[in-house]
Amino acid sequence: MSRLFPGDVLWYVDTAEPLFALTFDDGPHPATTPRLLDVLRRHGARATFFVVGERVRAHPELMERIIAEGHEVANHLMRDERSVLVPDEQFARDLAEVNRLLAPYGPVRWFRPGSGFYKPSMLRAAAGMKLRAVLGTLVAGHNGGPGDQAIAEGLRTSIRAGSIVVLHEGSDKRRGVAETTDELLTALSARGLSAVTVSTLAL
């Protein structure tokens, strides 16, 4: 994929360490984030939360808990929408606004465009704010249907050292992401793989 879509985008990390990055898009949200944090704490895992600006404003207490429990936050723009359809000037304003919202929670190194598609102009705007784009090696989304129960099984055999895994939270219908994460971490721990933040993996 990195050859098909050139640019300074992180898709995976070439490492011999038994680590992978676990990332969650579209939070924080009271229906999903607290349960995810409970699962991560139980497994001693760390993750990067790509958060939406509107939801950061609405749920500062969840942001504080994410940071207090040793996780990382990253920029996922202001709204849950396809960033590639947003005019360039608006994209840059939104990216900067979310950076301002995240400033109280520590340094921000990463952004992820909404829906994963990007243009060179988006990468240039991000680079000007010292942000690098992160997509993922493996991506899955919950929709509240019966297929959600098979997500962990579908992912676990494909995850390798250096993988960046993208899961989605941020709405009532995605409540199953906590159970998927629990199942996934249990299976990967048995293979000797540990979940870390993108910054830890990229060191």
Side-chain angles (χ1 to χ4, degrees):
M1 291 293 288
S2 59
R3 288 189 292 270
L4 292 174
F5 298 95
D8 187 20
V9 178
L10 189 65
W11 300 78
Y12 66 95
V13 174
D14 186 8
T15 179
E17 295 294 317
L19 306 174
F20 71 98
L22 183 58
T23 73
F24 299 100
D25 285 4
D26 300 335
H29 193 281
T32 50
T33 309
R35 297 175 70 226
L36 273 174
L37 291 170
D38 290 345
V39 169
L40 294 169
R41 182 173 53 193
R42 190 161 61 248
H43 285 273
R46 296 291 181 268
T48 300
F49 288 78
F50 285 81
V51 292
V52 174
E54 290 181 339
R55 294 169 183 169
V56 171
R57 281 179 175 157
H59 304 293
E61 74 289 352
L62 295 179
M63 294 295 296
E64 290 168 7
R65 184 178 168 191
I66 288 169
I67 297 302
E69 298 189 9
H71 306 290
E72 177 179 42
V73 294
N75 192 325
H76 200 37
L77 284 301
M78 276 303 294
R79 292 161 292 279
D80 186 3
E81 62 185 357
R82 290 179 179 267
S83 299
V84 75
L85 301 180
V86 176
D88 287 350
E89 290 185 2
Q90 182 65 50
F91 173 85
R93 284 196 300 270
D94 287 351
L95 198 66
E97 177 62 17
V98 176
N99 268 3
R100 285 191 288 271
L101 290 171
L102 296 183
Y105 305 105
V108 178
R109 299 179 59 190
W110 316 106
F111 91 98
R112 180 174 286 153
S115 298
F117 296 101
Y118 63 90
K119 301 180 291 187
S121 58
M122 295 160 65
L123 300 185
R124 289 194 295 270
M129 300 177 204
K130 296 183 168 53
L131 296 174
R132 186 179 181 192
V134 178
L135 293 182
T137 320
L138 298 154
V139 181
H142 289 70
N143 60 20
D148 287 1
Q149 297 178 13
I151 289 176
E153 179 67 20
L155 290 174
R156 68 178 183 85
T157 57
S158 299
I159 295 172
R160 300 286 184 270
S163 294
I164 298 174
V165 180
V166 183
L167 296 175
H168 293 78
E169 60 149 334
S171 69
D172 287 339
K173 69 181 181 181
R174 293 174 175 169
R175 289 175 184 269
V177 68
E179 286 72 21
T180 292
T181 301
D182 192 15
E183 186 180 343
L184 199 58
L185 290 173
T186 298
L188 294 174
S189 177
R191 290 175 46 201
L193 290 171
S194 299
V196 296
T197 65
V198 173
S199 288
T200 297
L201 187 68
L203 284 177

